[in-house]
Amino acid sequence: MTKRRSEDAYTNSIESPTYQSASYYFDDAEHVKAGLHDLSVPAGRYGRYSNPTWIEVENKLSELSGADGSLVFASGMAAHVTAFLSLLKEGDEVVLPSESYRQVRNVFHHILPKFGVTVHEFSIRDPEKFIENTAALRGRLRLVHLEMPSSPHMYLIDVARVREAVGPDVVITLDSSFSPPPNFYALQWGVDLVLFSATKYLSGHGDIVAGVASGRGDLIEKLRWYRDTTGPITDGNTAFLLRRSLYTLRLRMERVNAMGLEVARYLESHPSVARVYYNGLSSHPHFKLAQQYLNGYGGVITFELDMTEQQTAQVVDRLRVPFMASNFGAPHTLVEQSTFFTYFEYSDRELESIGVPRGTVRLALGYSNDTADIIQDLDQALSSVR
Ligand SMILES: *Cc1c(COP(=O)(O)O)cnc(C)c1O
């Protein structure tokens, strides 16, 4: 019996092996000293702290975003929560957009206040007003959290002006799940830490749940301590799937960017469609910001039908190409009627205040579908009502 791992027959495979190990061994006391105490040779210790497959995908993610460092997490939410817990302390004040991802808002409103964090929330529907409100808190803020584009309206933020408004010392985090590279490079615009639900475009196959934080080295080291300690980690196989997906990120984004423009233009021309929210259309209220910040507009389109909730449900029910499901960035096209999914608990008044009429539909284009098939499907479904 040997305690050592068997020697690989050869080690020149182009793709690195995927590591699944809960623990890592040392040859002798000298090796422990070098690998664990002095860090003079790279060595693993225990599966909660590190894994060679994570490290490889993290290095690729840093290259992708132009970051000093990156960390992978069990989910997008795990990345967000770890970031906020590591960067905030009692007495800190933060700003976030009212249009942020619902569970991120829940973290700010229901978890962080338990630890003495004060939360200010402003709408980004009017980007100037968001900047004005944020600037008025200058000197008091520790962190500003942004997200763009927002769902379902794809609102954008003048990120560089937020940085100007708060000064250099405030940490800016940005949820870029809807706009990964090459569509948007958050760190080039004064953002310190970019957060992703890798479940969406980064992994892009609808088959894993994962999260990523990339950014300034000192912040990444703070997050690393929290991840080591609290354990919101992924495993080697998930990291491998993410690593493999990154090879096709650019191809997939280019594909959904092209599909998105084509389908959005079709919808905008349809008489039953009252409004289309897509950053690539000049009718989008934040089109100018889109031109400034985005290199592509992605595969998610929100549109409002000139119909009741019931009629809208009939249209959505008649669609044959998309699955009725919440997600985006997957190979399959997905559709959700917003007031049946994300906002099903909202009253009429709440829906009005967030600008989501009952005829709102969110379509997430899947790169494996044919654009002409999707348009034809929308056409038959829309023509079936009235
Ligand atoms: C999905 C999503 C998240 C949460 O990510 P999970 O991987 O589901 O935990 C956060 N922000 C945005 C914008 C998302 O779309």
Side-chain angles (χ1 to χ4, degrees), residues 172-190:
I172 300 181
T173 56
L174 189 147
D175 182 347
S176 211
S177 304
F178 277 90
S179 56
N183 283 11
F184 178 49
Y185 292 91
L187 299 177
Q188 294 179 356
W189 298 96

Side-chain angles (χ1 to χ4, degrees), residues 64-368:
L64 182 71
S65 285
D68 299 338
S70 296
L71 295 169
V72 289
F73 290 89
S75 67
M77 284 314 301
H80 279 80
V81 171
T82 305
F84 304 141
L85 287 180
S86 2
L87 302 176
L88 295 170
K89 60 178 187 328
E90 188 179 5
D92 282 344
E93 297 190 35
V94 302
V95 164
L96 81 154
S98 340
E99 289 80 4
S100 318
Y101 187 71
R102 197 165 53 93
Q103 303 299 9
V104 169
R105 288 184 66 215
N106 279 336
V107 171
F108 277 104
H109 291 301
H110 301 297
I111 299 178
L112 295 173
K114 294 203 297 186
F115 303 100
V117 172
T118 301
V119 177
H120 306 274
E121 194 179 270
F122 306 123
S123 173
I124 57 167
R125 211 184 302 187
D126 182 343
E128 286 301 317
K129 219 155 171 199
F130 180 84
I131 290 170
E132 241 171 68
N133 286 328
T134 305
L137 295 169
R138 191 175 172 128
R140 283 168 55 184
L141 296 173
R142 167 79 188 130
L143 183 143
V144 175
H145 177 68
L146 306 174
E147 174 182 330
M148 76 179 227
S150 69
S151 181
H153 295 119
M154 316 288 151
Y155 292 138
L156 300 175
I157 299 165
D158 197 335
V159 182
R161 291 205 32 229
V162 172
R163 169 53 77 199
E164 266 175 45
V166 298
D169 299 332
V170 172
V171 175
I172 300 181
T173 56
L174 189 147
D175 182 347
S176 211
S177 304
F178 277 90
S179 56
N183 283 11
F184 178 49
Y185 292 91
L187 299 177
Q188 294 179 356
W189 298 96
V191 170
D192 299 299
L193 194 71
V194 62
L195 301 165
F196 298 97
S197 167
T199 315
K200 315 292 170 46
Y201 287 122
L202 289 186
S203 72
H205 290 74
D207 54 5
I208 62 168
V209 174
V212 170
S214 297
R216 245 170 60 191
D218 59 324
L219 303 182
I220 288 292
E221 290 319 306
K222 286 187 181 175
L223 267 67
R224 187 191 304 282
W225 187 89
Y226 273 79
R227 187 184 69 173
D228 284 0
T229 306
T230 63
I233 55 159
T234 189
D235 68 329
N237 273 318
T238 306
F240 154 71
L241 288 168
L242 180 55
R243 191 189 76 196
R244 187 166 74 159
S245 293
L246 293 182
Y247 286 125
T248 56
L249 177 64
R250 180 176 287 275
L251 288 173
R252 289 183 284 104
M253 293 313 295
E254 284 170 359
R255 164 94 175 134
V256 293
N257 289 344
M259 292 175 84
L261 262 180
E262 198 175 335
V263 175
R265 285 183 182 140
Y266 158 77
L267 285 166
E268 191 165 53
S269 72
H270 198 286
S272 299
V273 178
R275 276 202 85 136
V276 181
Y277 289 93
Y278 187 71
N279 289 138
L281 297 180
S282 57
S283 58
H284 191 282
H286 297 173
F287 180 66
K288 264 205 167 138
L289 288 173
Q291 299 286 293
Q292 184 182 349
Y293 285 99
L294 304 179
N295 307 308
Y297 313 108
V300 183
I301 303 167
T302 298
F303 56 99
E304 293 169 9
L305 297 180
D306 222 348
M307 295 180 190
T308 63
E309 187 170 64
Q310 209 41 52
Q311 287 171 318
T312 304
Q314 279 174 35
V315 171
V316 175
D317 282 349
R318 275 183 171 266
L319 290 169
R320 287 293 160 256
V321 173
F323 285 92
M324 196 184 289
S326 292
N327 195 13
F328 59 90
H332 308 291
T333 298
L334 310 176
V335 69
E336 57 177 83
Q337 185 169 351
S338 302
T339 57
F340 284 177
F341 276 78
T342 310
Y343 306 106
F344 73 94
E345 291 166 314
Y346 284 49
S347 68
D348 280 331
R349 265 190 52 195
E350 286 172 310
L351 287 175
E352 200 180 304
S353 81
I354 60 166
V356 177
R358 295 200 177 267
T360 304
V361 178
R362 195 181 88 174
L363 187 66
L365 302 170
Y367 54 85
S368 73

Side-chain angles (χ1 to χ4, degrees), residues 5-31:
R5 192 179 101 178
S6 65
E7 292 299 322
D8 293 325
Y10 36 80
T11 57
N12 60 336
S13 64
I14 290 177
E15 296 303 322
S16 311
T18 299
Y19 289 87
Q20 284 285 136
S21 187
S23 190
Y24 300 85
Y25 68 84
F26 296 92
D27 291 325
D28 49 32
E30 246 349 271
H31 190 194

